[in-house]
Amino acid sequence: MAEPNPQTVAYPASGSRLSRRGLDTLAPHVIVLFGATGDLAKRKLLPGLAYLQQSRFAPDVRIVGTAMEDLSAEEFGAIARSAVASFGTHAMDDEAMKQFCSRVTYVPQGAGPEGLTAAVKAAEELLGPQARRLHYLSVPPKAAQAVITMLRDADLVQNSRVVMEKPFGDDLASAIQLNDFVHETFDEAQIFRIDHFLGKEAAQNILAFRFANGLFEPIWNRNFIDHIQIDIPETLGLDLRANFYEPTGAYKDMVVTHLMQVMAFVAMEPPTALEPRAISEEKNKVFRSMLPIRPNDVVRGQYGGYRDEDGVAPDSDTETFIALKVGIDNWRWAGVPIYLRTGKRLAEGLRIISIAFKEAPRTMFPAGSGVGSQGPDHLTFDLADSSRVSLSFYGKRPGPGMRLEKLSMQFSTQETDQAGDVLEAYERLILDAMRGDHTLFTTAEGIESLWERSVPLFDDPPPVKNYPPGTWGPNAIHQLIAPNAWRLPFERGWREKKV
């Protein structure tokens, strides 16, 4: 492994006032969007930028789109308008849409570094001398180095930050090589490795729930928690992404970049403050404490018909499903298994974190009372945009005798008066990158730690097991988690908001 980089922790700017983070007025920004005609840009980034520029949250912005297509600024403006109208989650009237499109321009990558420089300089002149730059690399991982080189040749590194999409490398060697390459041009403090799962309201609610309430943090450890599940099944298939997915698979696509990042929020120690440096360090401690991923603790699956998809090899061993058991070898979590599961073409598309508490002794309850019949008490976080939390527990069923049944207390962000202020994940993360706030982003040290612990799995991956589309994965997942059981499918539904 490479020597530790001195810039692996996301330190705030020298002299910044941590207690006022997020309250100071932001400088205007030129946002350079690489891959501006791609699917992610159309579905998430352009609609998110449209909302931010007309909200009270963001500063004055100008957007410079760039991609391989040879388009005029007017043609790209039409693409941006269509993207916002088709995929935007916030209502925009004609005047707001017109204002957004007036702030968007385009330069084809064929214009070279000189063309990009000219477009950015022109946008900066409209914003004034205080303008900063945010470069968003919505490009395939293999194209990231070429974009970094272009930014260096275009002299657009100073006074800028760069957002990089996952996956960041595909193993330890490639992650180290990519980090070293990017660090030749950008300092670690300028780099924002994005994971949109951490931008969700529900993910941040984990921190609030744990550290703002005296009820739960004292029992958030191996003495009271039996096991943890982070379960993110998907109903979608490849969606014409075979060229990306075939060499990547579910583990590299989802586990390292999403599930383990969320796991760090669940497992981290209390930070010294809710500021980027402290939170990044506690997340990195979780990754350093992880035990190596053993092949015997992994179930890999492939849905029936995958090898018939366009672009997939007829003898492909790529996993479209993975379930694994993770151990964190520190004082808080030693001996507590953490189960991760994700995959394509599964029965439902959900995103949950489930904390299973150790069961109470049952000796005082008469036989047939029902205690223990429905498993342990669970605290469940739903990572969907509704940001729901449920706490299940045994209670007495009304009537004579001592008959028990599972009850639950539930909360949803949609039930609050502030539901309209919820930011979509990419909106929040773009705003945080403009602020220079690394709280919800991954560090070089963190990503290299995760790839390092994945080496045993990569060296000896278990064979993929077939599973029918529309199920919960191969049958072997039940042996993996025994004597426990998977929470999905749920034994009870979420309560819907009352109108």
Side-chain angles (χ1 to χ4, degrees):
M1 186 171 177
E3 289 296 319
N5 191 302
Q7 296 170 332
T8 52
V9 178
Y11 289 91
S14 177
S16 65
R17 293 171 290 168
L18 301 182
S19 62
R20 291 180 54 83
R21 179 168 295 278
L23 301 179
D24 294 333
T25 301
L26 281 172
H29 271 71
V30 175
I31 299 177
V32 184
L33 179 56
F34 290 87
T37 59
D39 188 65
L40 176 62
K42 292 176 182 177
R43 290 179 176 271
K44 295 294 184 180
L45 304 181
L46 289 169
L49 289 170
Y51 173 66
L52 285 177
Q53 68 86 32
Q54 55 108 24
S55 74
R56 70 180 187 273
F57 303 116
D60 194 8
V61 299
R62 296 276 168 170
I63 300 161
V64 178
T66 181
M68 298 302 295
E69 289 84 351
D70 190 9
L71 303 173
S72 67
E74 292 74 20
E75 290 172 324
F76 179 69
I79 291 174
R81 177 186 291 270
S82 175
V84 175
S86 300
F87 302 110
T89 57
H90 307 275
M92 290 186 68
D93 57 30
D94 291 341
E95 183 60 31
M97 184 74 80
K98 182 179 179 181
Q99 183 190 54
F100 170 67
C101 291
S102 71
R103 296 168 181 270
V104 174
T105 189
Y106 182 82
V107 55
Q109 290 192 18
E114 299 80 7
L116 183 61
T117 301
V120 172
K121 296 290 187 183
E124 288 177 338
E125 289 180 3
L126 296 172
L127 294 176
Q130 301 302 316
R132 295 188 60 92
R133 304 161 183 160
L134 181 68
H135 307 302
Y136 197 114
L137 276 58
S138 180
V139 299
K142 62 184 179 181
Q145 293 194 25
V147 173
I148 296 295
T149 300
M150 187 175 190
L151 289 172
R152 183 185 63 212
D153 294 344
D155 195 24
L156 295 176
V157 175
Q158 187 177 5
N159 202 34
S160 71
R161 300 182 177 108
V162 59
V163 179
M164 302 188 69
E165 275 287 341
K166 60 92 176 175
F168 201 86
D170 55 18
D171 57 19
L172 179 59
S174 62
I176 291 174
Q177 188 274 331
L178 183 55
N179 277 325
D180 289 346
F181 178 86
V182 177
H183 285 146
E184 291 175 3
T185 303
F186 290 94
D187 292 336
E188 179 69 13
Q190 294 176 278
I191 304 167
F192 292 76
R193 299 170 190 81
I194 196 167
D195 169 21
H196 70 272
F197 274 57
L198 295 187
K200 293 179 177 296
E201 196 80 28
Q204 296 164 79
N205 206 25
I206 297 170
L207 299 181
F209 193 92
R210 286 189 58 190
F211 302 131
N213 298 292
L215 177 62
F216 289 99
E217 183 57 24
I219 61 172
W220 207 264
N221 55 59
R222 58 186 168 83
N223 296 320
F224 297 94
I225 291 177
D226 183 77
H227 67 277
I228 297 169
Q229 295 180 36
I230 301 177
D231 207 348
I232 304 180
E234 298 181 298
T235 58
L236 297 175
L238 288 191
D239 197 23
L240 302 178
R241 298 171 67 231
N243 288 339
F244 163 77
Y245 202 84
E246 177 68 355
T248 304
Y251 185 83
K252 295 178 180 180
D253 182 40
M254 290 290 294
V255 175
V256 173
T257 52
H258 292 322
L259 277 72
M260 287 180 175
Q261 303 299 326
V262 173
M263 180 189 73
F265 272 13
V266 176
M268 64 188 277
E269 294 296 322
T272 55
L274 285 178
E275 56 95 3
R277 175 177 57 183
I279 292 176
S280 293
E281 176 57 15
E282 295 306 332
K283 286 175 58 184
N284 287 341
K285 285 180 182 178
V286 173
F287 300 146
R288 291 197 295 266
S289 300
M290 277 180 56
L291 296 170
I293 305 299
R294 300 189 309 165
N296 289 341
D297 292 331
V298 177
V299 175
R300 297 170 69 237
Q302 188 182 91
Y303 65 77
Y306 173 76
R307 296 178 182 179
D308 299 327
E309 302 265 13
D310 290 340
V312 174
D315 59 348
S316 172
D317 190 54
T318 298
E319 79 277 357
T320 63
F321 170 95
I322 193 160
L324 62 152
K325 180 168 66 174
V326 175
I328 299 177
D329 192 22
N330 62 18
W331 189 265
R332 182 184 290 260
W333 296 114
V336 178
I338 300 176
Y339 299 99
L340 312 179
R341 177 172 66 168
T342 187
K344 301 284 188 186
R345 300 290 301 274
L346 297 178
E348 295 182 59
L350 296 169
R351 299 167 181 176
I352 67 119
I353 301 168
S354 184
I355 314 295
F357 293 99
K358 291 186 175 180
E359 296 190 62
R362 306 172 191 172
T363 52
M364 67 175 287
F365 294 95
S369 66
V371 63
S373 62
Q374 295 179 309
D377 300 336
H378 284 89
L379 175 65
T380 304
F381 295 88
D382 183 359
L383 296 184
D385 292 335
S386 54
S387 185
R388 296 178 291 196
V389 181
S390 173
L391 178 63
S392 70
F393 55 93
Y394 282 100
K396 183 183 179 298
R397 180 185 299 176
M402 181 57 74
R403 293 281 297 166
L404 304 179
E405 64 181 353
K406 275 283 182 172
L407 307 172
S408 68
M409 293 186 291
Q410 297 185 8
F411 160 81
S412 171
T413 298
Q414 303 305 314
E415 298 172 355
T416 70
D417 294 336
Q418 292 78 37
D421 288 340
V422 173
L423 290 175
E424 199 274 338
Y426 281 100
E427 295 166 357
R428 180 188 311 279
L429 293 169
I430 290 171
L431 187 62
D432 282 354
M434 285 193 281
R435 288 175 173 156
D437 187 337
H438 284 80
T439 302
L440 304 177
F441 296 85
T442 307
T443 67
E445 177 186 336
I447 199 68
E448 289 178 14
S449 291
L450 292 176
W451 287 128
E452 184 178 29
R453 278 136 190 85
S454 305
V455 168
L457 175 61
F458 294 160
D459 287 345
D460 186 24
V464 294
K465 300 177 183 292
N466 191 267
Y467 64 95
T471 64
W472 290 99
N475 288 331
I477 62 173
H478 302 298
Q479 287 76 49
L480 175 69
I481 201 171
N484 303 306
W486 294 99
R487 293 286 328 276
L488 294 179
F490 276 131
E491 70 277 6
R492 65 182 62 80
W494 292 94
R495 286 196 295 270
E496 297 301 323
K497 177 183 177 182
K498 295 181 180 179
V499 179

